[in-house]
Amino acid sequence: MSKHNEQKGLEKQHYKAELRQLQIELVKLQRHIIRKNDKILVLLEGRDAAGKDGSIKRIIQHLSPRETRVVALGKPSDREESQWYFQRYVHYLPAAAEIVFFNRSWYNRAGVEKVMGFCTDAQYEEFFTEVTDFESMLVRSGIHFIKVYLDISKSEQKNRLAARKDDPLKQWKTSPIDEQAITHWKDYSIARNVMFARTHTSFTPWTIVDANDKKVARLQLIKGLLSRLDYANKDTNLILPDQTIIFDYDPLYLENNMIKA
């Protein structure tokens, strides 16, 4: 075996070992949530191919399917289009003892809908008028609410989208919107920055993950979640996140190019 392959093998072993330890912590967290009847809601947003699916898969891998739900809504029906924008999401909010992950969420309106022209300017502005009040209501109702954005570079997104086309096991991930992701890269960057500026509050902050390295991002995302939530017998040393990879939004990060433009 070459030194390069040996090094890759060691890195893979280390990743799997650390992931297992973090998954044990996630089970501890879930036992605490069930015992205390807590309600946990995690929104995962990010560019196409940022790694939302893979991250959620590793997080829920050993959790109880009875108290764990993943919500990934498709295009709204005609009836849903006529409803209050947030209405269809309310149905999926966590009840006592549940942890719910939204793989994309109501922030579609601030991202893909804005960029692709799927909403009017009036609907876009109405979203920002309502969203922080809506999220504040969730927090006041007793929901532990976490918003995460996975960010990747343009070259990394291009490589991942191309890899999807060649992988028969990932064909379900491809969509016509993917084709527009690179073309509208700058538009998505602008929409993301506006979203952060208008919806990041001390009550409902955004957490950002540099997701260019999928495995590192998964580990740091799990650490970030575990560090934000209380549970018994927490291994505080294990779950200490790397703040160069996962951090709260701050306008200075944009100015210093720590988030890819």
Side-chain angles (χ1 to χ4, degrees):
M1 180 183 292
S2 68
K3 286 186 177 180
H4 175 70
N5 289 337
E6 185 177 353
Q7 180 64 29
K8 287 187 69 175
L10 289 172
E11 289 175 359
K12 187 175 182 179
Q13 288 178 23
H14 176 76
Y15 163 73
K16 286 187 173 181
E18 187 169 6
L19 177 60
R20 175 176 170 78
Q21 291 304 115
L22 290 171
Q23 288 174 331
I24 290 172
E25 291 295 304
L26 285 167
V27 172
K28 290 182 190 177
L29 169 64
Q30 184 163 59
R31 290 176 63 188
H32 182 88
I33 292 168
I34 294 170
R35 187 166 59 250
K36 296 292 187 180
N37 278 327
D38 285 342
K39 294 177 284 187
I40 313 296
L41 176 62
V42 181
L43 305 190
L44 259 71
E45 293 289 338
R47 295 184 186 271
D48 290 326
K52 297 179 290 297
D53 296 327
S55 295
I56 291 174
K57 179 180 177 180
R58 272 69 179 187
I59 293 170
I60 69 171
Q61 188 172 3
H62 298 288
L63 298 183
S64 166
R66 289 184 299 276
E67 289 85 15
T68 307
R69 289 187 289 116
V70 177
V71 180
L73 300 182
K75 182 180 177 181
S77 66
D78 290 342
R79 183 175 185 275
E80 288 170 333
E81 287 276 13
S82 72
Q83 295 173 344
W84 175 50
Y85 178 71
F86 296 94
Q87 188 168 335
R88 74 172 181 147
Y89 296 100
V90 171
H91 175 74
Y92 299 96
L93 295 175
E98 289 185 341
I99 180 167
V100 174
F101 295 88
F102 273 65
N103 185 345
R104 295 195 183 276
S105 66
W106 44 83
Y107 281 101
N108 277 339
R109 177 135 296 176
V112 64
E113 291 188 22
K114 168 62 175 175
V115 172
M116 301 305 297
F118 296 157
C119 67
T120 66
D121 290 343
Q123 289 172 327
Y124 178 69
E125 287 302 322
E126 183 64 21
F127 169 81
F128 285 119
T129 299
E130 297 182 347
V131 65
T132 52
D133 288 338
F134 173 67
E135 292 176 354
S136 294
M137 289 170 63
L138 300 183
V139 175
R140 290 197 301 271
S141 75
I143 293 175
H144 298 276
F145 180 49
I146 299 174
K147 301 190 296 190
V148 181
Y149 188 92
L150 303 181
D151 206 27
I152 55 175
S153 67
K154 186 174 184 179
S155 59
E156 181 65 19
Q157 184 187 54
K158 187 175 182 179
N159 291 338
R160 291 184 188 181
L161 290 175
R164 282 183 181 179
K165 294 180 180 179
D166 299 328
D167 189 338
L169 296 179
K170 295 183 178 179
Q171 294 300 302
W172 60 272
K173 290 187 174 185
T174 61
S175 74
I177 299 298
D178 289 348
E179 302 294 332
Q180 304 296 323
I182 299 298
T183 303
H184 290 282
W185 175 268
K186 186 174 181 180
D187 297 326
Y188 275 111
S189 295
I190 293 170
R192 174 204 60 190
N193 297 350
V194 170
M195 179 187 75
F196 286 153
R198 299 184 68 174
T199 65
H200 175 82
T201 71
S202 58
F203 211 45
T204 57
W206 276 103
T207 297
I208 300 169
V209 180
D210 181 339
N212 268 338
D213 186 314
K214 284 185 179 181
K215 292 180 179 179
V216 170
R218 290 168 189 163
L219 297 178
Q220 291 303 320
L221 172 57
I222 296 172
K223 290 181 180 184
L225 295 177
L226 292 168
S227 65
R228 290 274 299 272
L229 298 167
D230 292 327
Y231 61 96
N233 302 315
K234 180 185 290 191
D235 186 337
T236 53
N237 291 326
L238 176 67
I239 67 168
L240 189 65
D242 182 344
Q243 295 184 358
T244 66
I245 303 295
I246 181 169
F247 44 86
D248 283 346
Y249 164 75
D250 187 300
L252 290 176
Y253 292 126
L254 294 175
E255 294 173 13
N256 293 335
N257 295 318
M258 292 183 70
I259 302 173
K260 292 84 190 165

